[in-house]
Amino acid sequence: AMTEEKTLELEEKIKNLNMTEIAMLNILEDERELEIGLKNERDKTMTIVSSIGDGLLVVDNDYKIVLINEAAARFLEVSVAGVIGNNAKEVINMHKGNEKFLDEKTPVAETLKTGKTISVGLNDDIYYIVPSGRRFPITLVSSPLMNDGNVMGAVVIFSDITEEKKLDEAKKRNFEERIKFIDQYAEWVKKTPNKVWSKQQKSIIDK
């Protein structure tokens, strides 16, 4: 439930960032071609993007990174200036479980191909692996940037859910241990002669 809420929160952030299609598409435009009013709108959007604690990046339809905030750069162990203009496929190392994601199967690829918003939650078992070798689980929302019905790029927001994952795994272990204990206890009850167990009680246990 916690990570489902986190995914919904990321989806809500994309909606509530005041990132209208015009504002975000302006990020994809050449600086020289923007009018002063549009530049101001873009700068306002950039300020909001910078303040988000989650990782956020914008790619065009060629996977070129046109925007990345400080949080995303920190999570991915890169510098903002160093990755702008680079292909996101070369910057982001995404895995599903222990297998590397095929480039054409990533959430961003699906968004660019279909024009749909793609969400990744805890149970999807998706990880980023960064240059230091650190591997961390994520929730992620990839949303399309549309212009006249055409996909121009994608906005991606992601979160490191390492602590949530640990908690979830601990809960699963605890549940499995309880089930194992119950099974062992039931076996012991069935095999242990005891006047306490009536024939009726034993027949119920045997079922």
Side-chain angles (χ1 to χ4, degrees):
M2 188 186 302
T3 47
E4 285 176 8
E5 287 176 11
K6 187 65 176 174
T7 304
L8 290 173
E9 181 186 328
L10 295 186
E11 290 174 349
E12 200 61 30
K13 281 184 179 178
I14 281 187
K15 293 177 185 174
N16 296 336
L17 277 172
N18 199 24
M19 293 178 179
T20 61
E21 287 184 356
I22 294 174
M24 290 306 293
L25 286 168
N26 286 340
I27 294 173
L28 302 178
E29 297 293 333
D30 191 293
E31 177 83 18
R32 294 164 297 181
E33 296 176 1
L34 291 177
E35 297 174 5
I36 291 177
L38 295 180
K39 282 184 181 178
N40 290 339
E41 189 176 356
R42 187 191 65 174
D43 291 344
K44 192 187 300 181
T45 302
M46 295 284 281
T47 300
I48 297 170
V49 165
S50 298
S51 67
I52 297 173
D54 299 297
L56 183 145
L57 52 91
V58 178
V59 300
D60 65 16
N61 54 11
D62 291 322
Y63 294 91
K64 184 175 74 174
I65 297 173
V66 294
L67 171 68
I68 181 170
N69 70 352
E70 290 289 348
R74 185 173 64 255
F75 285 135
L76 297 173
E77 297 181 359
V78 296
S79 70
V80 172
V83 296
I84 295 295
N86 288 3
N87 191 309
K89 297 175 187 177
E90 298 171 359
V91 175
I92 297 172
N93 185 1
M94 179 180 278
H95 282 62
K96 182 174 179 62
N98 293 319
E99 294 185 7
K100 184 172 173 56
F101 240 117
L102 296 175
D103 288 337
E104 63 270 20
K105 297 293 186 181
T106 63
V108 173
E110 290 291 329
T111 293
L112 294 177
K113 183 168 59 179
T114 65
K116 294 179 180 178
T117 295
I118 306 295
S119 299
V120 167
L122 171 70
N123 293 330
D124 292 308
D125 206 26
I126 306 300
Y127 295 81
Y128 279 160
I129 298 180
V130 292
S132 67
R134 179 177 176 251
R135 163 191 166 102
F136 61 92
I138 61 164
T139 52
L140 175 149
V141 176
S142 174
S143 184
L145 284 172
M146 307 293 292
N147 188 23
D148 293 331
N150 298 314
V151 181
M152 305 299 292
V155 184
V156 180
I157 295 184
F158 67 90
S159 269
D160 178 347
I161 56 164
T162 299
E163 293 307 314
E164 290 90 335
K165 189 81 169 174
K166 285 179 182 176
L167 183 61
D168 184 68
E169 288 172 353
K171 283 181 178 177
K172 284 179 182 175
R173 280 197 303 272
N174 182 259
F175 179 75
E176 288 167 358
E177 286 169 1
R178 285 163 63 192
I179 292 296
K180 185 178 178 182
F181 172 78
I182 290 169
D183 287 343
Q184 290 174 339
Y185 184 73
E187 280 299 311
W188 178 84
V189 168
K190 285 191 288 184
K191 293 177 181 178
T192 303
N194 194 315
K195 288 185 290 187
V196 174
W197 307 116
S198 67
K199 290 182 180 180
Q200 185 180 10
Q201 287 172 322
K202 192 172 189 305
S203 69
I204 292 172
I205 293 169
D206 286 337
K207 289 179 184 177

